[in-house]
């Protein structure tokens, strides 16, 4: 049991690092429609459930708040929701290819909705990112503040979250169960097989 807990904590720390590094690199390269800053959260949630995923999500944004910009900290709520949704789906359905796509679609809608509320409530809708241009343009065309903040985030998030979830599915599929130290629990339950579920 102690060995398993050590494995989970080690993977959790690695997942936070993956979120921070992937998000920072993709942001620096300005790759359109991708963030990849929740891959580690999805990974932990799919393997170990919502609690571990939420912890990774919150820690990720706290680290980004210190290393990148304080504006990342309020959005820890969004990253925690990623952990909650993926973890819940994983527990109920297993993390199959089809359930990973379903999780990606749900996240692609819920994350920008919650993120827009945070962006409006904390920052007036503008967070200093590339999406601010679209937000300002939509506001000038007469759109509501929420619509202006939500629509630019919706398309990006749908692409990013679906691709991130599918990527994690294939990563997990390639990991031998013996490396995960999962005593008494088979990988398919929260893992990768039984596609017909």
């Amino acid at each position: 049991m102690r060995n398993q807990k050590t494995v989970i904590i080690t993977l959790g720390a690695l997942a936070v690092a993956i979120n921070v590094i992937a998000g920072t690199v993709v942001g620096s390269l300005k790759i359109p429609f991708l963030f990849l800053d929740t891959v580690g959260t999805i990974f932990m949630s799919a393997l170990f459930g919502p609690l571990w995923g939420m912890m990774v999500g919150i820690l990720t944004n706290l680290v980004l708040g210190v290393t990148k910009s304080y504006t990342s900290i309020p959005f820890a709520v969004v990253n925690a929701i990623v952990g909650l949704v993926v973890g819940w789906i994983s527990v109920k359905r297993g993390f199959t290819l089809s359930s990973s796509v379903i999780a990606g679609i749900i996240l692609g809608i819920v994350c920008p909705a919650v993120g827009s509320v945070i962006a409006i409530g904390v920052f007036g809708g503008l967070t200093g990112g590339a999406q601010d241009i679209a937000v300002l343009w939509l506001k000038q065309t007469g759109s509501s503040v929420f619509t202006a903040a939500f629509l630019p985030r919706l398309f990006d998030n749908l692409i990013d979250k679906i691709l991130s979830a599918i990527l994690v599915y294939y990563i997990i599929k390639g990991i031998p169960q013996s490396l995960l130290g999962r005593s008494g629990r088979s990988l398919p339950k929260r893992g990768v097989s039984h596609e017909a579920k």
Side-chain angles (χ1 to χ4, degrees):
M1 179 66 75
R2 181 181 298 177
N3 185 50
Q4 183 180 7
K5 184 63 70 73
T6 301
V7 170
I8 294 174
I9 292 172
T10 301
L11 287 174
L14 180 62
V16 172
I18 289 171
N19 281 347
V20 172
I21 293 170
T24 301
V25 170
V26 170
S28 299
L29 295 176
K30 301 190 185 305
I31 299 174
F33 314 123
L34 285 180
F35 309 113
L36 297 185
D37 56 352
T38 58
V39 170
T41 307
I42 295 171
F43 177 81
M44 285 299 290
S45 305
L47 284 178
F48 303 109
L51 180 60
W52 286 103
M54 291 172 71
M55 289 173 60
V56 165
I58 291 169
L59 285 172
T60 294
N61 281 70
L62 293 178
V63 171
L64 285 171
V66 173
T67 61
K68 186 179 178 184
S69 170
Y70 72 94
T71 59
S72 298
I73 294 176
F75 293 97
V77 175
V78 177
N79 217 332
I81 288 172
V82 171
L84 178 63
V85 169
V86 174
W88 183 80
I89 289 175
S90 178
V91 169
K92 294 296 183 182
R93 296 176 54 93
F95 201 68
T96 63
L97 182 57
S98 61
S99 64
S100 68
V101 173
I102 291 169
I105 292 171
I106 294 171
L107 293 175
I109 297 169
V110 173
C111 288
V114 175
S116 295
V117 172
I118 295 171
I120 293 166
V122 180
F123 305 109
L126 304 176
T127 57
Q131 294 166 333
D132 286 355
I133 297 172
V135 172
L136 289 170
W137 180 79
L138 285 168
K139 286 174 70 174
Q140 289 178 349
T141 61
S143 298
S144 68
V145 175
F146 178 80
T147 300
F150 175 69
L151 288 181
R153 291 175 169 85
L154 177 62
F155 187 65
D156 289 353
N157 270 273
L158 277 170
I159 294 175
D160 173 70
K161 298 304 184 288
I162 292 171
L163 289 179
S164 293
I166 292 173
L167 174 63
V168 169
Y169 163 77
Y170 281 108
I171 289 172
I172 293 174
K173 186 176 182 180
I175 298 176
Q177 183 171 322
S178 59
L179 293 180
L180 298 174
R182 303 192 54 196
S183 57
R185 182 183 293 161
S186 63
L187 188 58
K189 173 152 182 161
R190 291 186 184 172
V192 296
S193 61
H194 296 203
E195 186 60 41
K197 271 186 175 180

